[in-house]
Amino acid sequence: MEYMSIAVELVVGYFALLFLTKILGKTQITQISAFDFISALILGELVGNSLYDNEISVWQILAAIFIWGFLIFATEFITQKSRRLRHVLEGTPAIVINKGKIDFQQLKKNNLDLNQLQHLLRAKDIFSIRECEYALLETNGTLSVLKKPLFENVQRSDLNIQPTQVSLPLSLIVDGEIVYDNLKIVHQQEEWLIQEINKHGFQSHKEVMFAEWKEGESLLVQGY
């Protein structure tokens, strides 16, 4: 019965956290701030600590999760409506490199040392401070940079090259299974797809590990 109780609490906690994540939105993960990080830790602790506490029921776990989730949702709602509170709760980006010069006061204020700054710059393909004109430390800890004109990548407009049409590559077969939703997007039928993979020596889509479509190009087909 003890193992069954743990299993029930795990399943309930899993679906409750999954449901809560869907409500709070994808930015809760992809753009995590210090507040979001603490919130995620507490949500995990609410479920983890309750598993081995016999005095806590499933309903108490659900109540704790959804009360905390409501507080997070309310905070996100307030920060969307009030710019002043947004700065207090989420923080503001800090300019750590201004016109090619490192702002030591901003580094100190954000508890960022020079080695950490160099690491963040290398992640942006900048291996020397002299290549960077501006660098902003975002509220989620990432670095946004603007290179000096001499070190910027050459754009098509700089060379007066006519732009080409952009098309989104779509996977039509993944692990031997046809992705019918993508097949509809490219306005093709299954018969057409089978004919295409036959040209590459495959008799069935189950023999194909991966097939990718891109407008204006032949079908990319790879078997196992």
Side-chain angles (χ1 to χ4, degrees):
M1 291 300 295
E2 183 178 352
Y3 291 114
M4 182 62 68
S5 176
I6 293 176
V8 170
E9 291 179 352
L10 272 175
V11 172
V12 172
Y14 168 79
F15 283 105
L17 290 176
L18 181 63
F19 177 73
L20 195 60
T21 303
K22 293 293 184 181
I23 292 179
L24 294 177
K26 296 179 181 179
T27 56
Q28 187 74 8
I29 299 174
T30 58
Q31 299 178 0
I32 188 169
S33 63
F35 177 77
D36 297 330
F37 178 70
I38 295 172
S39 300
L41 286 179
I42 292 180
L43 281 174
E45 288 294 317
L46 288 175
V47 178
N49 290 338
S50 62
L51 290 177
Y52 303 103
D53 192 336
N54 297 326
E55 297 181 0
I56 298 179
S57 66
V58 172
W59 297 109
Q60 290 173 318
I61 296 175
L62 285 175
I65 289 175
F66 285 106
I67 289 173
W68 184 255
F70 173 77
L71 292 175
I72 298 174
F73 183 81
T75 303
E76 294 291 340
F77 180 80
I78 292 173
T79 54
Q80 290 177 6
K81 298 296 183 180
S82 174
R83 185 180 179 86
R84 182 176 300 177
L85 289 177
R86 185 187 310 162
H87 293 323
V88 174
L89 295 174
E90 296 184 353
T92 55
I95 302 177
V96 293
I97 297 180
N98 191 354
K99 295 182 179 179
K101 300 292 184 181
I102 299 174
D103 191 330
F104 180 73
Q105 295 301 323
Q106 287 294 335
L107 292 182
K108 187 177 179 180
K109 181 179 178 181
N110 291 276
N111 298 317
L112 188 70
D113 59 45
L114 289 174
N115 289 335
Q116 291 173 324
L117 176 61
Q118 288 178 312
H119 169 75
L120 293 172
L121 286 172
R122 287 193 294 269
K124 297 293 184 178
D125 295 328
I126 296 178
F127 288 82
S128 174
I129 299 294
R130 69 190 69 189
E131 299 177 16
C132 184
E133 184 73 8
Y134 292 97
L136 282 79
L137 183 65
E138 304 292 353
T139 56
N140 60 358
T142 59
L143 199 68
S144 300
V145 299
L146 185 62
K147 293 182 179 180
K148 292 182 178 179
L150 185 62
F151 300 98
E152 287 183 347
N153 295 329
V154 178
Q155 305 294 327
R156 284 179 173 267
S157 57
D158 299 328
L159 303 176
N160 294 323
I161 298 177
Q162 293 296 325
T164 57
Q165 185 178 359
V166 178
S167 62
L168 180 66
L170 296 173
S171 302
L172 300 184
I173 298 178
V174 177
D175 290 329
E177 297 291 337
I178 299 176
V179 185
Y180 288 98
D181 290 338
N182 289 346
L183 198 59
K184 291 179 180 178
I185 294 176
V186 301
H187 305 292
Q188 296 292 350
Q189 302 294 327
E190 182 178 347
E191 291 76 13
W192 169 86
L193 181 59
I194 298 300
Q195 291 177 1
E196 290 296 317
I197 64 175
N198 288 342
K199 295 177 182 178
H200 291 80
F202 298 99
Q203 301 302 318
S204 171
H205 61 84
K206 295 183 179 180
E207 302 175 8
V208 178
M209 180 180 67
F210 181 74
E212 181 185 81
W213 172 90
K214 187 176 182 181
E215 189 174 358
E217 298 185 13
S218 60
L219 193 69
L220 173 66
V221 181
Q222 182 177 337
Y224 289 93

